[in-house]
Amino acid sequence: MATNVQPALLPADTSIQRYEELLRATTAIGGYRDISTFRERFARELQRFISFDYVLVNVLDEETHAVRWRMFDAPGRNDEFDAPGGNDEVVLPDFGPDDTPTDLVYTTQKPVIIQDWRTEKRFVGLRDFLSRYDIRSSCVLPLSTVHRRIGVFATGVSRPNAYSPEEVEFLSTVADHLALAIDCALNLEASRKAQAELERKNERLELVLDLTNRVVSNLELRDLLREVAANVRRVMKCDVAGVALPDNEESHFRFYALDFPNSKGFLTEDTRIPIEGSPLGAAYRTGTVELRGQSQIQADCPEACTNQAIREGLKSGCFLPLAGRNRNLGVLALSRFAPVPFAPDEIEFLVQIARQVAIAVENALAYKEIGELKEKLAQEKLYLEDEIRGEMDFEGIVGQSSGLRHVLQMVETVAGSDSTVLLLGETGTGKELIARAIHDRSRRKDRTLVKLNCAAIPTGLLESELFGHERGAFTGAIAQKIGRLELAHQGTLFLDEVGDIPVDVQPKLLRALQEREFERLGSSRTQRVDVRLVAATNRNLEKMIENREFRSDLYYRLNVFPIHIPPLRERPDDIPLLVRYFTQKYARRMEKRIESIPAAVMKKLSGWRWPGNIRELENFIERSVILTQGPALRVPIGELVTGNSGSVSEPSRDGSEREKILRVLKETKGRVAGADGAAARMGLKRTTLLSRMKKLGIEARGAP
């Protein structure tokens, strides 16, 4: 087998000449504008300065390593390599990943040099293939740029030991130049495809936008649908497009609009098509997209003489139901003369068009009813938005006590994550304000905080409020309703009083939280949501689990980051600040000027246990401001019951403090000192806390 193999070691002038030829070839190859041109000419350019019996280029997928594009050329010997007759492209066997050096070179980015295939033990598949054509040596090099790995470049000759270090070095330079040329060609090809795809998508988008605008502004249904049919036929490159509606008896279709420029006259807007036995009827009855080829069209209507589509010469069709709110309204039909099936992306787009057409049809047939429904939905939307907004009164978080500071520190810690937060505390301690603070400091602050008080909703309606429902899902469900979970998509859902969620609703909530999906009542369509949950309760959920009133798996899902909000009796230092804050708040609202709060009044207020916590204190101060006529706050002291039930005597203060210390010690597992010890959490020095513990008879190790 004769070859034009050059010596491995070349004189200096010859080496310089090879590099000059390389530069000229690179310039020529760099001018190729697409891969097909590259495939035809690049081997011819390489022959100017490289001798080879075959040359191979494999462009691989970066993730799967599968061959995206391949070029194999054996100048003068393609017929020997089983090239099909009349085709210059050689068809290679399907090698496994270990049968060739390709995967190894691509992965390691290092060359593989085979000096003699007859002694090579690796790459058995390629070895056996090349041995049939007396190929003795091969050089396989990576093709890559600074931006990405492209593939491999290989050459082979029919003599052994053909690749000296100098030759490999030169071929590596060739591979670098080749990689740049291929990269440019691939980028240009990808750019052209992307441009064509973008133009196609823009054309379709323009059609959707145009149709959307016309649907809401044009009630002349026939004129609208004729224009829609013409535009859809043009964009989808079909030969006929039409909208068929059933007659009053629902026995036949008639085209309300039909765009068919090349019709032979067998299919017109006056043509009546039986609903039963036709592909249009199948789409209308089942509510699914129906596709038909030529053989199926003939099978649907065996008597060709009565089948208008066959007589027109149509060979493929797509029929989409026009789905209204309560029933299918008609069919959007498209057909082609060519037996070209409709692609999935075409069907997906046509489904969008069918939805818009259905809206247009329904608007025209029942516009008044639609208008009333839109008004009702608009009122519901305003109501929900008003409820969701709430009173964003973050100034309501008032206080400087160590207990409150610890709560706010935990808020800052957890707010930036998407973790579920469980707020624990008595009624009136400000759990909703803490939930709002978490949301406002989170990455979801620009989205909605949706709240739902589970105790305020009747048991039978809670599931509907949470997940929403479809029209007709139950008695009284006269319209579709979006649930709070769906409203909170990409925002935060605050579930207050989660301990009051019925047991039968709890597993559905658990699934929605874990799987991030749910179904509205009366619907089989799964909705996916991205919601951050903040839950709150004043009940002992662990006790409820023991009594089988609350599911343990839901509790563990909620109890990711618990925050205990201390009652007002455990933070008496905050009472004067809250009194001043609420006094000024309601004085401004009632346009009163209250300049002072008597010391005796403040002492009395600070000594009250406030079983209703901050809510009770706020309502009491509002009542006091109403009663105040002068510059000093007038407080109805008589309403505060004196004695052990109301005022905080020294023994009751000691009891409250003892409860607080025991609770904090329980949280820190008896640890007093340290950054997360009880003293730090309570904002006290270690010695001060130990002194108080000694006074109250508390030992850290003995704390529960």
Side-chain angles (χ1 to χ4, degrees):
M1 181 182 300
T3 61
N4 296 320
V5 179
Q6 296 179 0
L9 297 177
L10 301 173
D13 57 344
T14 305
S15 179
I16 292 173
Q17 182 180 0
R18 295 182 79 191
Y19 277 99
E20 290 175 348
E21 290 291 343
L22 171 60
L23 290 175
R24 280 193 289 270
T26 300
T27 302
I29 293 174
Y32 301 160
R33 292 304 182 186
D34 54 53
I35 287 295
S36 60
T37 305
F38 181 90
R39 184 192 298 273
E40 294 171 3
R41 300 183 182 176
F42 103 104
R44 187 185 317 156
E45 299 289 345
L46 292 182
Q47 280 185 297
R48 295 181 180 180
F49 50 88
I50 300 176
S51 294
F52 53 84
D53 288 307
Y54 80 85
V55 62
L56 170 71
V57 175
N58 277 339
V59 176
L60 306 181
D61 184 273
E62 286 192 88
E63 294 184 1
T64 65
H65 296 189
V67 177
R68 291 176 50 198
W69 178 84
R70 170 181 287 153
M71 198 234 65
F72 182 91
D73 200 0
R77 299 181 59 187
N78 278 349
D79 290 341
E80 298 180 30
F81 282 90
D82 300 325
N87 190 342
D88 292 335
E89 183 179 347
V90 175
V91 178
L92 297 179
D94 292 329
F95 293 115
D98 297 328
D99 284 339
T100 74
T102 296
D103 195 67
L104 177 63
V105 171
Y106 185 77
T107 302
T108 64
Q109 291 291 291
K110 294 180 180 179
V112 170
I113 311 300
I114 308 297
Q115 297 291 12
D116 193 340
W117 278 106
R118 293 182 182 179
T119 60
E120 179 60 46
K121 304 299 183 183
R122 301 170 296 171
F123 319 123
V124 177
L126 183 59
R127 182 194 67 192
D128 294 343
F129 173 76
L130 294 178
S131 67
R132 299 202 301 267
Y133 308 101
D134 198 27
I135 300 296
R136 298 289 298 276
S137 302
S138 292
C139 177
V140 187
L141 299 162
L143 287 174
S144 60
T145 67
V146 294
H147 303 293
R148 61 173 173 167
R149 296 181 298 173
I150 295 175
V152 298
F153 165 59
T155 63
V157 297
S158 59
R159 69 183 181 86
N161 303 312
Y163 295 100
S164 66
E166 293 80 8
E167 185 71 8
V168 173
E169 182 179 357
F170 178 75
L171 289 174
S172 296
T173 304
V174 173
D176 291 339
H177 286 259
L178 187 59
L180 289 173
I182 294 176
D183 194 35
C184 290
L186 289 174
N187 287 338
L188 181 59
E189 184 179 76
S191 175
R192 287 173 175 170
K193 290 181 179 179
Q195 180 66 27
E197 178 67 13
L198 181 61
E199 291 175 357
R200 184 181 65 84
K201 288 185 177 180
N202 284 342
E203 188 177 31
R204 291 184 179 182
L205 180 60
E206 288 175 3
L207 176 59
V208 173
L209 293 176
D210 180 68
L211 178 55
T212 301
N213 293 332
R214 293 177 182 278
V215 162
V216 298
S217 62
N218 192 342
L219 291 178
E220 295 297 329
L221 185 61
R222 187 176 292 274
D223 293 342
L224 170 63
L225 293 184
R226 283 173 175 168
E227 190 169 352
V228 168
N231 289 335
V232 171
R233 184 192 60 77
R234 174 182 54 83
V235 171
M236 300 307 298
K237 296 178 173 53
C238 294
D239 295 295
V240 56
V243 177
L245 303 181
D247 56 22
N248 293 334
E249 294 77 23
E250 291 203 2
S251 60
H252 287 79
F253 282 116
R254 178 165 288 170
F255 280 103
Y256 209 73
L258 184 70
D259 188 75
F260 195 0
N262 297 318
S263 173
K264 299 175 182 178
F266 298 108
L267 193 62
T268 67
E269 287 187 354
D270 294 328
T271 302
R272 298 177 74 244
I273 300 175
I275 291 180
E276 300 301 329
S278 68
L280 286 79
Y284 178 72
R285 296 297 191 198
T286 64
T288 59
V289 178
E290 297 290 329
L291 302 176
R292 294 292 188 273
Q294 184 177 15
S295 60
Q296 293 170 307
I297 292 176
Q298 293 174 342
D300 282 337
C301 236
E303 298 181 10
C305 60
T306 62
N307 188 301
Q308 296 87 349
I310 294 176
R311 297 172 74 180
E312 289 283 4
L314 298 171
K315 295 181 173 61
S316 62
C318 179
F319 309 94
L320 304 99
L322 302 178
R325 289 175 298 159
N326 303 315
R327 61 187 179 91
N328 289 330
L329 305 169
V331 176
L332 173 64
L334 297 97
S335 292
R336 292 170 174 152
F337 289 131
V340 179
F342 285 80
D345 68 302
E346 292 180 311
I347 297 171
E348 182 179 357
F349 172 71
L350 288 172
V351 168
Q352 298 181 46
I353 295 297
R355 292 196 190 106
Q356 298 295 323
V357 173
I359 293 174
V361 172
E362 198 163 35
N363 280 353
L365 298 178
Y367 184 75
K368 183 178 179 180
E369 180 183 351
I370 294 294
E372 293 175 352
L373 180 60
K374 287 175 64 177
E375 179 65 23
K376 187 173 183 179
L377 290 175
Q379 293 177 355
E380 182 179 358
K381 179 175 179 290
L382 291 174
Y383 167 77
L384 287 174
E385 287 179 348
D386 183 65
E387 181 179 356
I388 290 166
R389 266 188 222 102
E391 185 180 359
M392 303 297 286
D393 187 11
F394 290 109
E395 294 180 359
I397 302 179
V398 176
Q400 297 179 351
S401 65
S402 59
L404 181 60
R405 286 202 304 271
H406 176 65
V407 168
L408 297 180
Q409 287 172 359
M410 298 185 75
V411 168
E412 292 291 345
T413 299
V414 76
S417 70
D418 269 348
S419 298
T420 300
V421 179
L422 179 61
L423 304 178
L424 304 168
E426 298 177 4
T427 299
T429 52
K431 294 188 287 294
E432 182 178 343
L433 286 178
I434 298 299
R436 291 188 184 279
I438 292 172
H439 173 74
D440 238 29
R441 288 158 177 79
S442 72
R443 291 172 293 184
R444 300 170 180 259
K445 62 184 178 181
D446 295 329
R447 307 295 293 186
T448 308
L449 170 66
V450 178
K451 67 176 182 177
L452 177 62
N453 189 319
C454 302
I457 305 297
T459 301
L461 298 179
L462 180 59
E463 184 175 357
S464 172
E465 285 291 330
L466 191 57
F467 301 112
H469 64 252
E470 299 292 343
R471 179 177 180 180
F474 51 85
T475 302
I478 60 174
Q480 182 191 76
K481 179 181 178 65
I482 296 177
R484 306 298 175 90
L485 194 64
E486 194 171 348
L487 285 172
H489 178 58
Q490 295 185 337
T492 304
L493 176 64
F494 174 51
L495 292 182
D496 200 3
E497 305 300 349
V498 292
D500 290 280
I501 298 178
V503 176
D504 59 329
V505 178
Q506 293 177 21
K508 299 178 182 179
L509 174 60
L510 177 62
R511 179 214 171 195
L513 297 178
Q514 293 190 159
E515 306 298 332
R516 297 193 172 192
E517 62 182 29
F518 67 95
E519 290 83 30
R520 295 178 188 155
L521 292 181
S523 172
S524 59
R525 180 171 174 263
T526 298
Q527 306 275 346
R528 295 197 60 83
V529 289
D530 174 18
V531 171
R532 197 262 182 90
L533 178 67
V534 178
T537 185
N538 63 353
R539 303 180 66 178
N540 188 332
L541 296 183
E542 294 178 347
K543 189 69 175 177
M544 293 181 67
I545 292 174
E546 294 178 4
N547 297 334
R548 299 183 180 277
E549 297 174 341
F550 203 85
R551 292 176 61 101
S552 59
D553 48 6
L554 178 58
Y555 171 71
Y556 298 137
R557 182 64 183 78
L558 298 178
N559 197 40
V560 175
F561 194 90
I563 298 179
H564 186 279
I565 304 175
L568 192 54
R569 64 179 177 275
E570 292 185 8
R571 35 184 287 217
D573 296 342
D574 290 339
I575 292 178
L577 296 174
L578 289 165
V579 169
R580 295 188 188 97
Y581 170 75
F582 289 133
T583 298
Q584 293 304 314
K585 173 182 175 180
Y586 289 107
R588 285 194 302 270
R589 186 175 296 179
M590 300 176 194
E591 297 182 351
K592 291 187 176 184
R593 187 179 182 86
I594 299 178
E595 300 176 348
S596 64
I597 301 172
V601 169
M602 187 66 79
K603 182 178 180 181
K604 187 67 175 177
L605 295 176
S606 299
W608 183 249
R609 291 182 60 83
W610 300 107
N613 292 296
I614 299 174
R615 186 179 294 122
E616 180 188 1
L617 174 62
E618 180 178 5
N619 293 337
F620 184 79
I621 295 301
E622 181 181 6
R623 187 159 61 252
S624 300
V625 172
I626 294 173
L627 296 173
T628 300
Q629 300 299 325
L633 182 67
R634 178 186 174 186
V635 175
I637 296 294
E639 294 185 13
L640 301 179
V641 181
T642 59
N644 294 334
S645 62
S647 62
V648 182
S649 61
E650 286 303 318
S652 61
R653 280 184 182 273
D654 289 346
S656 175
E657 186 172 20
R658 178 182 172 85
E659 291 177 7
K660 179 179 179 180
I661 293 174
L662 288 174
R663 176 177 56 77
V664 176
L665 286 172
K666 181 179 179 181
E667 294 175 356
T668 63
K669 298 181 180 179
R671 188 169 66 256
V672 175
D676 197 37
R681 291 196 179 192
M682 298 179 69
L684 301 173
K685 293 183 179 180
R686 180 180 62 85
T687 54
T688 301
L689 178 57
L690 290 173
S691 176
R692 293 186 183 180
M693 290 168 58
K694 183 177 180 180
K695 176 183 175 183
L696 298 172
I698 300 174
E699 294 183 5
R701 295 185 180 277

